[in-house]
Amino acid sequence: MRPTRLDTARIRAARQVIDPAFLDTPLYRCDALEPELGCAVSVKLETANPVRSFKGRGTELIVSRLAEHGPGAVVCASAGNLGQALAWSARDRGLDVTVVASRFATPAKLDRIRALGARLELVDGDHEAARERAAAIARHDGIRLLEDSLDIETCEGAATIGLELVAQPAAVPAYDAVLIALGGGALATGVGHVLKALAPGVEVICVQPRGAPALTLSWRARRVVTTESADTIADGVAGRHPLPAVLDDLLLVADDAVLVEESSIVAGMRLFLHHAGLVVEPSAALGLAAILEDRDRFAGRHVVTIVCGSNVDMDAYRRWTGAGLTSDH
């Protein structure tokens, strides 16, 4: 099989670079979810860290290398989580960070980017407009452009989650599938690479909102498919222009890519709240949404779902889930 861009030895070495705050996150079987879903579910909780998402694993790699050898400034486009992680990783390393985001991004995410000391530039339009502006800033200022999912560090940082999934056989009973939120592709290609290399019997299932289907459509067609718009509450995965190199990797490691409805995403968020005590952002509920929409496929199986982020606007969260949570929850 043709290799991906990722390298398992580099991924193992990445664990020595990434701040321990992002490593060895909780992995546990959540029995309370099982009566609702008809299958055994284990949770890999990537919100138990300083930026409440998995993105810090990748930004730690990038920033550590920039601090040693690169320019003293970096710019990225972000829906919110990547920008927070980059600002956190750069804060004590003397790097200047600019984050470009849509002005329609989740306010709580934007506020946190500012609080972490990054320069924040807002653009009209969606995440693709932010990507274009970030690239223009990098060219004009001669600084490093961090491109999520294209820069191999973002994929190999995320891939350390896969190492933890295969290194803890005693922590959970044997699982036969991993459900992974699909946006730009770093999480799916990273974790998928490790699973195919070290646990090839585990099914790698990527999940994307039906309202933002570009990378799933590309995977199915085996060529890049772009969409005119992205309409989903799962802002962290709302891309429209898949990257060819990322698609090439995804074709090698994903066994399936499925699309789910917005109502199922909301139902997944409610299940996490009421049965697991977890406040998650919409992207993190995609795995449960996939189970809800295809119960027969997962009946009697044991699956792992990666809870990839919990940076959510609480006013919107209350509307979606009906939760009586205060804004300072």
Side-chain angles (χ1 to χ4, degrees):
M1 184 181 78
R2 179 172 57 83
T4 69
R5 296 176 299 145
L6 287 75
D7 179 81
T8 304
R10 284 200 309 260
I11 295 165
R12 293 188 189 280
R15 284 183 55 86
Q16 308 307 311
V17 178
I18 297 169
D19 191 297
F22 297 102
L23 297 174
D24 301 314
T25 51
L27 171 64
Y28 59 94
R29 183 166 172 175
C30 189
D31 295 344
L33 287 170
E34 297 178 16
E36 298 288 334
L37 298 171
C39 63
V41 179
S42 287
V43 171
K44 182 60 169 165
L45 191 63
E46 288 300 306
T47 65
N49 62 58
V51 297
R52 301 196 297 193
S53 82
F54 75 96
K55 297 288 190 181
R57 294 178 184 253
T59 59
E60 282 289 285
L61 292 182
I62 289 171
V63 170
S64 65
R65 292 167 187 172
L66 284 176
E68 292 181 13
H69 309 294
V74 58
V75 60
C76 76
S78 175
N81 285 346
L82 179 69
Q84 290 179 71
L86 183 61
W88 191 93
S89 294
R91 186 171 53 174
D92 296 326
R93 290 181 169 107
L95 295 177
D96 180 59
V97 172
T98 299
V99 178
V100 184
S102 166
R103 68 179 65 257
F104 307 108
T106 300
K109 294 181 179 181
L110 300 180
D111 290 344
R112 184 61 178 156
I113 290 169
R114 295 186 185 97
L116 287 166
R119 180 182 302 107
L120 180 63
E121 180 174 325
L122 300 179
V123 297
D124 293 319
D126 62 7
H127 182 65
E128 303 304 338
R131 284 172 59 181
E132 293 175 4
R133 176 57 182 159
I137 292 172
R139 288 193 300 269
H140 182 270
D141 295 349
I143 62 177
R144 167 68 184 269
L145 173 65
L146 190 170
E147 292 192 80
D148 198 13
S149 303
L150 182 61
D151 286 5
I152 200 65
E153 296 96 334
T154 62
C155 303
E156 292 185 340
T160 59
I161 298 170
L163 291 181
E164 293 166 21
L165 289 176
V166 300
Q168 299 188 53
V172 292
Y175 53 87
D176 58 27
V178 176
L179 295 162
I180 309 173
L182 184 60
L187 183 61
T189 59
V191 173
H193 170 92
V194 172
L195 290 173
K196 289 306 165 193
L198 303 178
V202 174
E203 189 178 17
V204 175
I205 304 172
C206 303
V207 190
Q208 200 163 35
R210 193 170 297 278
L215 193 46
T216 294
L217 297 180
S218 300
W219 181 86
R220 293 175 179 176
R222 303 188 70 83
R223 62 175 177 81
V224 171
V225 176
T226 63
T227 59
E228 291 298 318
S229 62
D231 183 13
T232 177
I233 62 171
D235 59 297
V237 295
R240 296 189 291 108
H241 294 282
L243 299 167
V246 178
L247 175 60
D248 288 344
D249 289 342
L250 192 69
L251 288 170
L252 294 173
V253 302
D255 295 302
D256 200 1
V258 301
L259 298 173
V260 295
E261 303 288 348
E262 298 294 291
S263 59
S264 301
I265 299 171
V266 171
M269 296 170 69
R270 288 175 177 157
L271 285 175
F272 271 129
L273 177 64
H274 296 300
H275 296 281
L278 296 174
V279 174
V280 306
E281 61 186 79
S283 300
L286 287 168
L288 294 195
I291 300 172
L292 288 169
E293 291 198 6
D294 198 352
R295 292 174 185 271
D296 289 344
R297 175 178 186 171
F298 298 101
R301 299 177 66 180
H302 183 173
V303 303
V304 173
T305 186
I306 300 173
V307 178
C308 54
S310 65
N311 291 297
V312 65
D313 179 79
M314 293 312 301
D315 289 335
Y317 184 85
R318 285 197 302 274
R319 292 196 303 273
W320 295 328
T321 65
L325 299 174
T326 60
S327 59
D328 62 351
H329 178 86

